[in-house]
Amino acid sequence: MTPNLLELNFNIDKCSEFLRLLIPPFSSKMISRNGFTFGRLARPLRSPAKPASTFFWTRLLSSLAVLEQKDGKLNQNALRAITAAQQLGGPVTGIVAGGNIQELAKEISEIQGIQKILVVDNPAYEKGLPEFFAPLLIENIKKGGYSHVFAGHTAFGKSVMPRVAALLDVSQISDITAIINENTFVRPIYAGNIISTMESLDKVKIITVRGTAFQPAETQGGSASIEAGTDPKVNFPIEWLSENLSITDRPNLSSAGRVVSGGRGLKSKEGFDRVILPLADALGAAIGASRAAVDSGYADNSLQVGQTGKVVAPQLYFCIGISGAIQHLAGMKDSKIIAAINKDPGAPIFQVADVGLVGDLFEKVPELTNKLKQQAV
Amino acid sequence: MSTLRILVPVKRVIDYAIKPRVNPAKTAVVKTGVKHSLNPFDEISVEEAVKIRERNVKSPSSSTPNVDEIIAFSIGPPRSVETLRTAMAMGADRSIFIEVNDDEEPESLGVAKLLAKIVQKEKINLVIAGKQSIDSDAGSVGGMLSGLLGWGFAGQACNITFQKPNFCVIEKEVDGGTETVRGSLPMVITTDLRLNEPRYATLSNLMKAKRKIIDKLTPEELGVDISRRLLTREVTEPLPRQGGGKVEDVDSMIQRLKELHAI
C-alpha cells in the first residue's frame, strides 16, 4: 500500500472496481520495501490502526479474525490476529465462541480495528476442539463471505485452522510474519533459516499468524457491533477430559518483555531453579528453556523455546548455558537484544548475542543477579 | 475390540542439523548434495505405531488393541524410498510410495487428499502423523486429513493410550501445559517430540526391510489433483544477526545492557 495512496480517500463503494483497472493496487516497489529485505523477522510494517476506508480496493476484502479465548479471557494472540487482519485494509469481523462469553464480548467490542463481533455463546466451543470449532467457523465464513480468515499460530490455531482449510478445499498459510498484499504473505520455513514469500491462488485465505511479528491491537477505544454468530451445533464423539497447566505468576513466556532461558549448562533441575529463577525475578522476566533442558527434566515442557516449542521476541532474551543450536535460535533470534553467558567461547550463541560473557554460569549469574538487585532495574 | 490398521505418513527432509541454503536465483532451497533424513516427528510417529503393537503383544489382555498392519506412506522424489526403508526397518510392515519430481512436491492439502484416499483404500482406522515437517514448518497435514475424513483429531500428542471399546485417550501439548481428550476411533493423531524416543534401525532390520513391499502409486491412480495453490515467489536467507561481541565481566555486561536500553 504505497504511501501516496494512503492519503487518498475515495468513496470506496463506487470507485473501487473502476480504480482497480486504472491503478495496480500493489506496486512491485512496495514488495521489495516490505517483504524481501527482512533481516530480523518481520516487524509490523505499518501502524495497525489505519482507517480501512482510506484504501480504495477494500471493498473486495473482508477479514474474519478468530478470537481465541479461555475462561472468558482473550488470548494475546487474538489481538495480534486482529492487527494482521487490519493490515490488509478491509473491514474486520471478530468471532468469539464459548460458554458465558457475553462479558467478554463487551470487552472485545472495545478493541480497536474490528467493526463487528460474532458471538456464539455455547459451552461446546469452550475448549476449542477442532471437531466443533471448525464447523462453527466454516458456517460463519460461508455466511459472511470473508476473503481472509486469521487466527494465532497457537496450539488452538494449529489444530482448528487446517481442518477449516481442508473443509473449504483451500490451502492454509501457516505462521505468517508479514503481509505483502491480499494474496502474498511472508513466512519462515526451515526453522526460520529461510524466509519464503508465497502467493496464494485460493479464493479464501486461511491464515495463522506468528504472534511476535504483529503488535497487539489496542483494547480500548473501539466500538464494534455485537451480533450473534451462526451456531451449527455439531455433535462429535470426542470429549475433553482434563488439563494440566503450569500455574505461575510470572509473565507469560510468549508475550513477556524479558525472558531468561536456561539450557543444558544448568546441569540439573536444582541448578536451573537456583540460578535461573532469581535472575528472572531480578529482571521481572519470564522463564524459558532449551530443548536439552526440557528433555533432561530441568524445566517444564511448556517453557521450551525453539522451532518445536514457543517462538518469542522479547526486548531482552538472556541465554544461560545455552549453546545456540539452530533449533533454539529459530525460537528467539528475533529478540531485540540477546545476552548470553556460557563457558564455551566458541558456542554459536555468541555469534548472535549482542552481549556475551564467557564464564562459569554458576558464578557469573548469581553475581549478575545480586548486582541487578542492588540497582533495582 | 477391533484391530488397528495404522497409517504413518513420513517425509524425507533436509537433516535437522544442516543449515539450509538458498539457490542463487532465490527460487528454492538447495537440496542436491545435502544430507537428508526422515523428518524427526515422523520418526516418532513410526515409533509410536510400533510401540502400540508391542504393548499389545506384551499383554494381549490390556486395553491396547491388536495392531493388524502398519503402513508407511511417502510422497517425494525417488530417493524418498530410503525414508520408507527406514520406517520399515523400525517396524512398519509395508509402504506406499508416490514418486514425484523434486519441484512437484505437493503442499499440505494435496498430501492430505492423497492420504484420505489411501485411508479408504487400505481401511485404515488410525493415522499417526508428525506434527510438522521441519522443512515447510506448516504443521497442517494431520488437521487437514482429519477434516477431509470427518474423523476426530488430536494434535501434538505426548501420550496415547486406549480404552475399550475403541476409545483413544490422548494427552496433547498445548500452550502452557497439556490437555487430555478422549475420542473414538477412527482418529488422526499428530505427534510431539515428547511422545517417545525413536529406536535406531539396526543393520539387520534394515536388511530385512529390503524385502518388505513398497507399492508405487500415482496421484492420478488415486484421482487426486495435487497442483499447488500456494506458489513460492521468492526464498531468501534472513540477514545474519551481528553478534555484539563479548564483555570481560559482569559489570561490563550490566553496563552494555544499559547502553542497549535492555535493562
Short mmCIF file of all heavy atoms in Angstrom, two decimals, chain B residues 27 49 59 71 97 114 120 161 165 168 194-195 205 247 250 256:
data_model
loop_
_atom_site.label_atom_id
_atom_site.label_comp_id
_atom_site.label_asym_id
_atom_site.label_seq_id
_atom_site.Cartn_x
_atom_site.Cartn_y
_atom_site.Cartn_z
N THR B 27 14.93 -19.01 -5.83
CA THR B 27 13.65 -19.65 -6.10
C THR B 27 13.40 -20.85 -5.20
O THR B 27 12.26 -21.26 -5.03
CB THR B 27 13.58 -20.13 -7.56
OG1 THR B 27 14.74 -20.94 -7.82
CG2 THR B 27 13.55 -18.97 -8.53
N ALA B 49 3.59 -46.11 16.55
CA ALA B 49 2.80 -47.19 15.96
C ALA B 49 3.38 -48.54 16.36
O ALA B 49 2.65 -49.47 16.75
CB ALA B 49 2.79 -47.04 14.43
N SER B 59 1.11 -57.69 26.48
CA SER B 59 -0.03 -58.07 27.34
C SER B 59 -1.30 -58.03 26.50
O SER B 59 -1.97 -57.00 26.43
CB SER B 59 -0.13 -57.15 28.55
OG SER B 59 -0.28 -55.82 28.14
N ILE B 71 1.27 -49.29 7.97
CA ILE B 71 1.66 -48.94 6.61
C ILE B 71 2.31 -47.56 6.61
O ILE B 71 1.74 -46.60 7.10
CB ILE B 71 0.44 -48.94 5.67
CG1 ILE B 71 -0.25 -50.32 5.70
CG2 ILE B 71 0.85 -48.58 4.24
CD1 ILE B 71 -1.54 -50.38 4.91
N PHE B 97 4.26 -45.65 -1.88
CA PHE B 97 5.12 -44.55 -2.30
C PHE B 97 4.56 -43.89 -3.55
O PHE B 97 4.17 -44.56 -4.50
CB PHE B 97 6.54 -45.07 -2.56
CG PHE B 97 7.50 -43.99 -3.01
CD1 PHE B 97 7.56 -42.78 -2.35
CD2 PHE B 97 8.31 -44.19 -4.12
CE1 PHE B 97 8.44 -41.79 -2.76
CE2 PHE B 97 9.19 -43.20 -4.54
CZ PHE B 97 9.25 -42.00 -3.86
N LEU B 114 -4.31 -37.13 -0.77
CA LEU B 114 -3.75 -38.44 -1.11
C LEU B 114 -3.93 -39.40 0.06
O LEU B 114 -4.35 -40.55 -0.11
CB LEU B 114 -2.26 -38.31 -1.45
CG LEU B 114 -1.90 -37.57 -2.73
CD1 LEU B 114 -0.41 -37.32 -2.79
CD2 LEU B 114 -2.35 -38.35 -3.96
N GLN B 120 -8.98 -44.79 2.84
CA GLN B 120 -10.16 -45.54 2.39
C GLN B 120 -9.75 -46.85 1.73
O GLN B 120 -10.32 -47.90 2.00
CB GLN B 120 -10.98 -44.69 1.43
CG GLN B 120 -11.76 -43.61 2.18
CD GLN B 120 -12.07 -42.40 1.32
OE1 GLN B 120 -11.76 -42.35 0.13
NE2 GLN B 120 -12.68 -41.39 1.93
N THR B 161 -3.05 -43.53 24.84
CA THR B 161 -3.47 -44.80 25.43
C THR B 161 -4.84 -45.16 24.86
O THR B 161 -5.50 -44.33 24.23
CB THR B 161 -3.57 -44.72 26.97
OG1 THR B 161 -4.38 -43.59 27.31
CG2 THR B 161 -2.20 -44.58 27.60
N PRO B 165 -14.41 -49.76 24.60
CA PRO B 165 -14.12 -50.27 23.27
C PRO B 165 -13.81 -49.10 22.33
O PRO B 165 -14.55 -48.12 22.30
CB PRO B 165 -15.44 -50.92 22.89
CG PRO B 165 -16.48 -50.09 23.61
CD PRO B 165 -15.83 -49.47 24.80
N CYS B 168 -9.70 -43.80 22.35
CA CYS B 168 -8.31 -43.44 22.41
C CYS B 168 -8.20 -42.21 23.31
O CYS B 168 -8.96 -41.24 23.14
CB CYS B 168 -7.84 -43.13 20.98
SG CYS B 168 -6.09 -42.96 20.85
N ARG B 194 7.89 -35.18 22.52
CA ARG B 194 8.00 -35.86 23.80
C ARG B 194 7.20 -37.14 23.90
O ARG B 194 7.12 -37.75 24.95
CB ARG B 194 7.59 -34.89 24.91
CG ARG B 194 8.72 -33.96 25.26
CD ARG B 194 8.28 -32.84 26.13
NE ARG B 194 7.61 -31.82 25.35
CZ ARG B 194 8.25 -30.82 24.78
NH1 ARG B 194 9.53 -30.71 24.89
NH2 ARG B 194 7.59 -29.93 24.07
N LEU B 195 6.60 -37.55 22.79
CA LEU B 195 5.78 -38.76 22.82
C LEU B 195 6.63 -39.99 23.12
O LEU B 195 6.24 -40.86 23.89
CB LEU B 195 5.05 -38.90 21.48
CG LEU B 195 4.11 -40.07 21.33
CD1 LEU B 195 3.02 -40.02 22.39
CD2 LEU B 195 3.48 -40.07 19.95
N ASN B 205 17.78 -55.19 10.75
CA ASN B 205 16.42 -54.78 10.41
C ASN B 205 16.37 -54.03 9.08
O ASN B 205 15.40 -54.13 8.35
CB ASN B 205 15.83 -53.93 11.53
CG ASN B 205 15.39 -54.77 12.70
OD1 ASN B 205 15.17 -55.98 12.54
ND2 ASN B 205 15.28 -54.16 13.87
N VAL B 247 31.98 -9.38 26.48
CA VAL B 247 32.46 -8.47 27.51
C VAL B 247 33.29 -9.27 28.52
O VAL B 247 33.19 -10.50 28.57
CB VAL B 247 31.29 -7.75 28.22
CG1 VAL B 247 30.61 -6.78 27.27
CG2 VAL B 247 30.28 -8.75 28.77
N VAL B 250 30.97 -9.25 34.70
CA VAL B 250 29.56 -8.99 34.95
C VAL B 250 29.24 -7.49 34.91
O VAL B 250 28.21 -7.08 34.38
CB VAL B 250 29.15 -9.61 36.30
CG1 VAL B 250 27.79 -9.12 36.74
CG2 VAL B 250 29.15 -11.13 36.20
N ARG B 256 26.80 -2.70 29.42
CA ARG B 256 26.46 -2.83 28.00
C ARG B 256 24.93 -2.96 27.82
O ARG B 256 24.34 -2.36 26.93
CB ARG B 256 27.18 -4.06 27.44
CG ARG B 256 27.06 -4.26 25.96
CD ARG B 256 28.06 -3.43 25.18
NE ARG B 256 27.77 -3.55 23.74
CZ ARG B 256 27.08 -2.65 23.05
NH1 ARG B 256 26.67 -1.53 23.62
NH2 ARG B 256 26.84 -2.84 21.77
#
